[in-house]
Amino acid sequence: MAVRSRTGFSRQEVNRTVWEVPERYRDLKQVGTGAYGTVCSAWDRRAGAQVAIKKLHRPFQSKLFAKRAYRELRLLKHMRHENRSFRGHFRPFLNADYKIKLQFLVYQMLKGLKYIHSAGIIHRDLKPGNLAINPDCELKILDFGLARQADAEMTGYVVTRWYRAPEVILNWMHYTQTVDIWSAGCIMAEMLLGKPLFKGNDHLDQLREIMKITGTPAADFIVKLQSQDAKNYIRSLPKVPKKDLHSIFSKASSSAVCVLEKMLLLDPEQRVSASEALDLPFFSEYRDADEETEALPYDQTMDNTDLPLDQWKRHTFTEILTFRPPRDSRETSL
């Protein structure tokens, strides 16, 4: 039950957390929670649409948290795409959903990634829990809190292991947008199998699980590795041949397996891009090239700046005050 709070705001308790939101938002229901925040769905009475509201946990407790909150806010403001926004009655993506129009779901995921990547951004935490679908089978990519620019330093110890690209696990090399393509391949594989494809118990076990299918890398890939320790480790592994994905996905069409073969490649330079993947025959039934839009470049200047906590607060409030929601509620990201 919402109770009156500040003028123009109402207060509501959801799962023992108090939410104080503008009165236009009603019927808050929690849809997800994580280490950095909680997301509720709400009905926007003014727009006549369902929206998502994210409440960050103590965003200004440190410079790191403040910078992260600022970056997430700016990324959300920058992204304007139908597979990035939040509209309609969405629910978390579940394994059982793999039966519902696989082609359409994967197509939308790649269409969203093409848009994100065109801005020079890597999501880097793409996993089933960061996807949502509604009853009309519309897919949305959620949670940009961990997203970083393609040319910034990334650690690799924050994403969910089962969907983590192999080059991230041992910090092999400079990462590119193809880390998201690997994750997309893992998600597509899970939709086909009904269970995760690579389910390692730790970093090295995850790598071993991956190589059971991709095979151990050849010498031309090993020389690309920046870490001598990584080179020595890979050379020490017993040679395992690449598995035929058709034998693992025996019930899938050859065109579906073709997509997986191009996404689940050990060498990130050989992986298909989101734009190239959309050209594959598997997606021809749903493809609308006019809808495969690209974004304006994302200005990363502030993201690589080290500022005091108070300045991060000030920049965050400025971003909030200058936000102008788009007229089309279907593209409202915040």
Side-chain angles (χ1 to χ4, degrees), residues 60 175 200-201 272 299 301 334:
F60 300 121
Y175 311 128
N201 298 315
V272 70
D299 180 7
T301 308
L334 298 180

Side-chain angles (χ1 to χ4, degrees), residues 57-86:
H57 301 321
R58 297 181 296 173
F60 300 121
Q61 72 172 356
S62 68
K63 280 201 306 181
L64 180 64
F65 274 57
K67 183 175 181 178
R68 187 184 185 282
Y70 169 78
R71 186 174 66 238
E72 181 172 7
L73 180 60
R74 287 198 63 236
L75 284 165
L76 285 168
K77 286 179 67 178
H78 189 83
M79 296 290 104
R80 291 285 180 269
H81 190 264
E82 62 179 327
N83 295 119
R84 168 61 204 90
S85 60
F86 196 98

Side-chain angles (χ1 to χ4, degrees), residues 31 86 88-94 96-97 100 128 131-135 138 142:
V31 295
F86 196 98
H89 299 273
F90 288 87
R91 57 188 171 82
F93 185 90
L94 303 173
D97 293 324
I100 309 172
L131 300 176
I133 62 169
N134 71 1
E138 295 174 318
L142 309 175

Side-chain angles (χ1 to χ4, degrees), residues 166-167 169-170 172 182 197-198 203-218 221-222 225 230 233-243 264 266-267:
E167 65 269 23
I169 294 175
L170 291 182
W172 280 349
W182 176 273
L197 179 61
F198 306 117
H203 289 134
L204 293 182
D205 187 44
Q206 182 71 15
L207 196 60
R208 284 190 289 267
E209 289 296 307
I210 289 171
M211 290 185 183
K212 284 179 185 177
I213 291 177
T214 65
T216 43
F221 174 68
I222 295 175
L225 304 181
Y233 176 72
I234 297 300
R235 288 183 179 128
S236 73
L237 295 173
K239 298 294 180 238
V240 178
K242 184 180 185 299
K243 261 193 180 176
L264 296 176
L266 203 61
D267 188 342

